[in-house]
Amino acid sequence: MKTRDHITQALGNAGYIADGELATAISLMQLLRRPLLLEGEAGVGKTEVAKALAAVHATELIRLQCYEGLDQSAALYEWNYQRQLLSIQAHRGADADAVEDRIFSEKYLLERPLLAAIRRDRPPVLLIDEIDRADDEFEAFLLELLSDFQVSIPELGTIKATAIPHVVLTSNGTRELSDALRRRCLYHYVDYPDVEREARIIMARIDGAGASLALQIARMVEGVRKEELRKVPGVAETLDWATALVGLDVKDLHDAPETVHETLMCLLKTQEDKARVTREVSERLLGKVA
Amino acid sequence: MSCCGASPDFDDINEVSRLVSTRLATFLRTLRDGGFAVGLAEGQDAAALIAAGYAARPGLLRSAFKHLFSARKSDWEKFDGIFDAFWLGKRVRSSSVVTGVAKAANNPSLKRLPNQPAEPRAGAETAMDEVPSVDGTENELSGEGRAEGASRTENLAEVDFRNMADSEQVAQAHLAAAQLARAMRTRLTRRDLARRRGARLDLRRTIHGNISHGGVPISLVKRQRKPKPLRLVVLLDASGSMSMYTGVFLRFIHGVLDEFREAEAFLFHTRLAHVSDAMKERDAGRALDRLSIMAQGTGGGTRIGESLQTFNRWHAARVIHSRTCVMIVSDGYETGEAALLGREMAALGRRCRRIVWLNPMMGWQGYAPEARGIKAALPYIDLYAPANTLASLTALEPYLARL
């Protein structure tokens, strides 16, 4: 990996408009061999970082989506029980030890994301998404895996990583993560992009969005975010809205205040928020958009 | 500068001059003093970064250190200031840390709680201005009230907390509150265990154990599920009208935080303060001192709606999950907008499993929920109960155990 500017440029080519600090974080990931913990509100583009990183390295993205109750068998490995049963039936009468050796072999092993990530020849990007949704126990297990990059499967023995993956963890802050996990990682707080960066994101992602329209959209979204809303719109919502506006052939927001108000639903995700952003509010916000 | 893809070569650390090492060590100490969790490994990595040439570009070094040493949003936000002050000698705007105890006197119950609980009248005027008067007997109670309290024959369990004059009585009340918290924890865990029926089959172990039967699953192995604790979030009204009760409830919350693996506590009056950390202080005296600082601002009325709004907006996502019970302890005297309180209660109700509202005044004779605040909140409350005596607190237990 090259310097910060190179990383920023490479991420840009992959469709992710990064700020300098994120580029530093990514260069440090390699230099220090630490996982990167991304924290921030939902919809600020944390997951996108991992996708862009995979594109930059031209490597595979392996994603583990965390949820409450996630356990090792879903995250690490599982045995193919049906095949094991069939094999036992087919070798009825054979020596029990021999059968056991056979059915607990590589052939019957189903790898799940974590095992897959450490067994690739070429280091993949391992995205552990929304780690705050998983239980404490899983977090503790993960800590061990992330420090040694090896796992122990009772029937097979220890499996060491062939290549250390680039690990990205994301958290929405629904649960406080342990200090142990936090200290293991590099930390980066992902905030909503500023107007200029959001405009560049729109231009990079939406065909047909010119610079002036993208800037207007970004300013308008910034205004909406400052309103007292239950769900503050994220970058994904901005892109939805921009797509809608471009699709409706809007060239300048001031020319189409009606359309602007009607399409604002792309940004507002609850009934309460929709009720709050009345026509007057959207006109006021539009007035501030130069 | 170039940072190649190779692993860090820690031998390079030797190249870092002694001066820089000392400076770095001092910086690490500064960070630790500032609440950063910085260990040896981070220190080594930082030295490796300096050796790798990062020191030549302060902006880059700051960004790299920021990622390395921060562990949470609060670290992230204050890091730049600390870095600039230390390495670049820049003056930093001091953040608005609450200091001093000047306003703690506004809430005597908080200040008094640890050691001198025998002066219940201080500040009671504020309370009595706002709440209906019950009886006139407390006027006789004073700092000298110890002998009177001891001579009374009433059952302690039935004494309203605000009438407790004796430090021993208060101590007993505190003990009972802590016991109640413990009992709740045990019950909740037991109920939780009993509710979980039908353990899932552990196929791997089942197949292992039945190879000799030709794979026919004769003996089944069940997968044990881990117990999942319920979480309790307590929002305690620390306003003037509640001042006679806050002491006991603070002690109750202290017990709850001790006993529950997952519990969070907040104080509110005109604003909301997250007090879990302060409550986790093992030394009760220090815990309550810290709380008296946080309870500043009493006397300006109670803005329950606004406090709930702050809670919903900034804290709810982090502290509430599907197995959370929110307990609000307040008399419901809202000086803000009652409609806002209703809206925020509705929002809170959508997030958590249950809302329990404990109102000390409910135990008073002739009390009816007429206050605008409590009227607006009532439709969203799952359990509305009195909590002005030990007996009423104890009576709560079976309800809470059923959550």
Side-chain angles (χ1 to χ4, degrees), chain A residues 31 34 68 155 174 182 188, chain B residues 8 45 71 204 318 323:
Chain A
L31 187 67
R34 282 175 182 251
E68 210 177 302
E155 298 87 352
T174 59
R182 287 180 182 277
H188 183 87
Chain B
D45 282 355
R204 184 168 70 96
R318 189 176 54 80
R323 294 184 309 281

Side-chain angles (χ1 to χ4, degrees), chain B residues 297-323:
Chain B
T298 51
T302 326
R303 299 184 177 277
I304 312 175
E306 277 178 38
S307 300
L308 275 181
Q309 191 174 34
T310 314
F311 175 79
N312 283 336
R313 190 168 169 80
W314 300 110
H315 302 280
R318 189 176 54 80
V319 302
I320 290 185
H321 59 38
S322 56
R323 294 184 309 281

Side-chain angles (χ1 to χ4, degrees), chain B residues 3 104 249 375:
Chain B
C3 38
F249 280 114
K375 270 186 162 171

Side-chain angles (χ1 to χ4, degrees), chain A residues 3-290:
Chain A
T3 59
R4 213 153 72 138
D5 295 341
H6 282 107
I7 296 171
T8 314
Q9 197 180 352
L11 286 170
N13 293 341
Y16 192 92
I17 310 297
D19 57 12
E21 294 221 315
L22 183 64
T24 308
I26 288 171
S27 68
L28 287 181
M29 272 176 87
Q30 283 219 313
L31 187 67
L32 303 175
R33 299 237 169 142
R34 282 175 182 251
L36 175 64
L37 170 62
L38 298 172
E39 212 169 31
E41 298 289 323
V44 290
K46 301 185 292 293
T47 306
E48 292 301 314
V49 174
K51 290 183 186 167
L53 193 60
V56 167
H57 288 291
T59 188
E60 186 186 358
L61 173 72
I62 297 177
R63 178 175 179 165
L64 174 67
Q65 173 65 48
C66 298
Y67 53 88
E68 210 177 302
L70 173 67
D71 59 6
Q72 289 193 27
S73 64
L76 193 58
Y77 72 92
E78 181 86 287
W79 291 103
N80 189 338
Y81 302 115
Q82 287 87 348
R83 282 193 69 183
Q84 283 181 323
L85 279 171
L86 284 172
S87 173
I88 296 168
Q89 299 279 350
H91 295 85
R92 200 181 283 253
D95 176 42
D97 283 346
V99 173
E100 186 169 336
D101 281 351
R102 189 178 55 252
I103 63 167
F104 289 108
S105 64
E106 188 72 33
K107 197 174 153 192
Y108 296 87
L109 188 70
L110 298 174
E111 60 180 29
R112 300 289 186 230
L114 295 181
L115 185 62
I118 64 166
R119 296 215 301 179
R120 292 288 187 266
D121 293 332
R122 192 181 151 74
V125 171
L126 170 63
L127 168 63
I128 301 172
D129 215 3
E130 305 194 352
I131 176 67
D132 50 333
R133 287 183 189 274
D135 304 316
D136 301 350
E137 294 82 1
F138 184 77
E139 194 184 310
F141 154 75
L142 203 59
L143 201 64
E144 195 186 332
L145 177 81
L146 292 183
S147 52
D148 299 336
F149 288 102
Q150 65 176 36
V151 290
S152 168
I153 298 178
E155 298 87 352
L156 286 182
T158 304
I159 297 181
K160 268 187 99 66
T162 41
I164 307 248
H166 312 277
V167 186
V168 176
L169 298 102
T170 74
S171 164
N172 288 336
T174 59
R175 177 173 66 80
E176 184 62 20
L177 302 174
S178 72
D179 278 350
L181 182 74
R182 287 180 182 277
R183 282 175 61 177
R184 186 76 195 80
C185 302
L186 296 166
Y187 180 87
H188 183 87
Y189 185 77
V190 188
D191 216 336
Y192 293 107
D194 55 30
V195 169
E196 194 245 347
R197 192 154 73 87
E198 193 152 26
R200 282 167 57 209
I201 294 171
I202 297 168
M203 284 160 65
R205 293 293 191 88
I206 313 287
D207 291 335
S212 82
L213 179 67
L215 206 57
Q216 282 185 337
I217 293 173
R219 285 200 181 118
M220 185 82 180
V221 172
E222 191 198 30
V224 172
R225 283 196 188 120
K226 283 181 184 157
E227 295 292 307
E228 287 278 315
L229 296 180
R230 183 175 296 282
K231 292 256 183 289
V232 179
V235 179
E237 281 78 32
T238 307
L239 292 175
D240 285 349
W241 190 43
T243 311
L245 290 171
V246 170
L248 292 168
D249 209 21
V250 175
K251 299 272 188 266
D252 186 305
L253 295 190
H254 296 291
D255 295 342
E258 280 292 311
T259 318
V260 167
H261 180 71
E262 281 158 17
T263 50
L264 270 182
M265 71 184 72
C266 297
L267 299 179
L268 308 170
K269 293 297 164 89
T270 72
Q271 189 53 43
E272 205 175 307
D273 290 348
K274 278 177 193 164
R276 193 161 292 179
V277 182
T278 56
R279 196 167 293 271
E280 288 73 36
V281 173
S282 74
E283 274 166 18
R284 169 169 57 80
L285 292 173
L286 191 57
K288 288 182 186 166
V289 175

